[in-house]
Amino acid sequence: MTQGAGQGADVWHGAGAAGGTVAGAAGAPAAGPHPEGYTPTQRDLPVIGAGAPAPTPTLVDTPAPAEGPGPLYVVGDVHGYLDELRTALLNQGLIDTEDHWIAGNARLWFLGDFTDRGPDGVGVIDLVMQLSAEAAAAGGYCKALMGNHELLLIGAKRFGDTPVGSGAGTASFQAAWLLNGGQRSDMERLQEHHVQWMSRLDAMALADDHLLVHSDTMAYLEYGDSIADVNDTITEALTHHDADETWELFRKFTKRFAFRDEAGPMAARELLDAYGGRRVVHGHSPIPYLLGEVGSEDGGEGTPQVNGPHVYADSLAVAMDGGVTMSGKLLVAQLPLPF
C-alpha cells in the first residue's frame, strides 16, 4: 500500500521502531539488565461502633479539592520505555521518585501505544493504571486512549496464530505482533485484567478544545458521527472477540500522515468539524518519520533531533510521538501549546 496523505503502510508489514517530552530523558534504553525475554527492536471497611477510632485517612479517602480543573498534559507513545516515562513524568512534577501521583488536580492523557519494542510494556500499563487511581483520588485524572499497538496486543493474546485476511495475504496477530516489536516477556506477564483494561479504552477524547486521538488518520470518521459513537462502536467491536473484526480495527488505525501534506490542513479541519476542538493532538507517527528525516518507522542512521511536539498543518495538528524507540524523546507536554 502506498503511503500518502491519510494513508500509510500497515504497521505489521515491517518490524521496526515507532514511539513517542519536552522534559523527557533521551530515548536510548536505560542501562542495566533487561527482563528475561527482552529483545531490542525486541482496602476493611472500618468496624463502625461506639468508641471506634476514626480510620487513618488514605489516598483513596482524601476528598477532592474544590477548585476547578488543573493543568492538562499529554504523553506520546511510550512503547515499553518505562524508565524514560518515569523520568519524564518526574521532570514535569506529575509523580515523585516512588512513582506516586503528586500533581493534585492536574489532568493527564496518554495517547496510546504502551507496549512493544521497549523492554517493559506491562510495567508501563501497570503504572498508568496505578496513576489513574491516585490522580482520581487527588481530584485530577490520568486517562488513556487506545493505540494500534493495544489492538495488536489484544489480538495476539486472544487469537494467537489464528489466520486473518490481510491486504497482503493471510497473516496472524501473533506474527504481526512479533514483527512490530512484540516482547515475549510482556506476553508472559500479561494478565486478563490488563487485556480488559486495554479493551475498554476510548479511541478519542476532547479536552480543552484539543481533539485527542492516537493515530493521524481519518479512519475515526468510519466509526461514528460523535466522539461517544466512535468510542462505543470500537468498544462494542472488541466485545465480539472476532479475529477478523479486530484485525480490521488494527489495520485501519495503523494508517498515518493524514495531516502532513498539502491537503493536511483540510483533513484536520474535517476531523475537528466532525468531533469538535481547535487542534488535533495525536501520537502514532514518530516526528522524525513524519518530517521525512528517516525513511521508515525503523529509523535510520544517527540520532533524530526531537526537541518537543511538532505543530503543523496550519497549526491545526500536534504530533506527540517523539520517536523514543529510535533514540528520539518520550514526549510529555502541557497543553495548550502556542499557536
Side-chain angles (χ1 to χ4, degrees):
M1 187 170 292
T2 303
Q3 294 181 4
Q7 179 171 294
D10 289 7
V11 172
W12 73 274
H13 286 160
T21 306
V22 175
H34 293 300
E36 182 178 353
Y38 167 62
T39 55
T41 186
Q42 330 192 316
R43 190 185 320 177
D44 281 59
L45 291 174
V47 177
I48 300 176
T56 301
T58 66
L59 181 63
V60 175
D61 297 315
T62 303
E67 64 265 25
L72 175 66
Y73 296 83
V74 289
V75 185
D77 302 35
V78 182
H79 280 299
Y81 283 85
L82 179 58
D83 288 342
E84 286 78 2
L85 175 61
R86 286 167 165 159
T87 298
L89 296 175
L90 182 67
N91 289 344
Q92 288 282 12
L94 296 169
I95 65 171
D96 62 19
T97 56
E98 300 299 320
D99 296 341
H100 293 299
W101 181 266
I102 59 170
N105 65 343
R107 297 165 295 157
L108 179 64
W109 274 100
F110 284 81
L111 299 182
D113 278 10
F114 303 107
T115 69
D116 305 337
R117 300 194 172 108
D120 197 357
V122 170
V124 171
I125 293 173
D126 284 335
L127 178 58
V128 177
M129 294 175 71
Q130 171 201 315
L131 293 177
S132 296
E134 294 180 351
Y141 65 66
C142 170
K143 299 182 180 182
L145 297 180
M146 178 180 294
N148 61 302
H149 279 261
E150 279 67 66
L151 291 166
L152 183 57
L153 184 57
I154 290 168
K157 180 68 171 180
R158 287 180 173 175
F159 310 119
D161 288 323
T162 301
V164 292
S166 76
T170 302
S172 73
F173 272 105
Q174 178 73 7
W177 174 70
L178 289 172
L179 281 170
N180 285 276
Q183 303 298 310
R184 296 186 185 276
S185 57
D186 278 342
M187 188 62 75
E188 290 167 358
R189 296 161 56 210
L190 191 68
Q191 299 179 42
E192 183 58 26
H193 73 272
H194 296 125
V195 176
Q196 290 299 320
W197 180 81
M198 288 189 293
S199 67
R200 290 193 292 263
L201 292 174
D202 284 341
M204 62 194 317
L206 188 65
D208 293 359
D209 275 340
H210 296 89
L211 182 62
L212 309 179
V213 296
H214 172 70
S215 303
D216 45 331
T217 178
M218 303 300 284
Y220 298 93
L221 294 168
E222 302 179 36
Y223 291 92
D225 296 329
S226 70
I227 290 173
D229 287 345
V230 172
N231 291 334
D232 288 348
T233 299
I234 293 174
T235 299
E236 174 68 20
L238 291 174
T239 67
H240 299 158
H241 289 243
D242 180 273
D244 287 320
E245 190 171 13
T246 305
W247 181 267
E248 184 69 2
L249 284 171
F250 166 67
R251 185 186 68 81
K252 288 182 178 179
F253 290 105
T254 63
K255 298 296 187 291
R256 62 177 82 248
F257 300 154
F259 319 123
R260 186 180 71 171
D261 299 321
E262 184 177 347
M266 183 181 302
R269 175 53 63 197
E270 182 180 355
L271 210 64
L272 292 167
D273 287 346
Y275 301 119
R278 298 178 63 196
R279 267 182 171 171
V280 182
V281 181
H282 68 85
H284 187 49
S285 293
I287 292 170
Y289 188 22
L290 180 66
L291 295 177
E293 296 173 353
V294 298
S296 73
E297 283 188 293
D298 300 332
E301 296 182 2
T303 301
Q305 297 301 308
V306 177
N307 298 313
H310 176 56
V311 180
Y312 68 114
D314 291 349
S315 292
L316 294 174
V318 179
M320 282 294 304
D321 183 347
V324 63
T325 64
M326 55 177 69
S327 299
K329 287 185 177 181
L330 198 163
L331 296 176
V332 179
Q334 184 176 349
L335 299 179
L337 297 171
F339 272 81

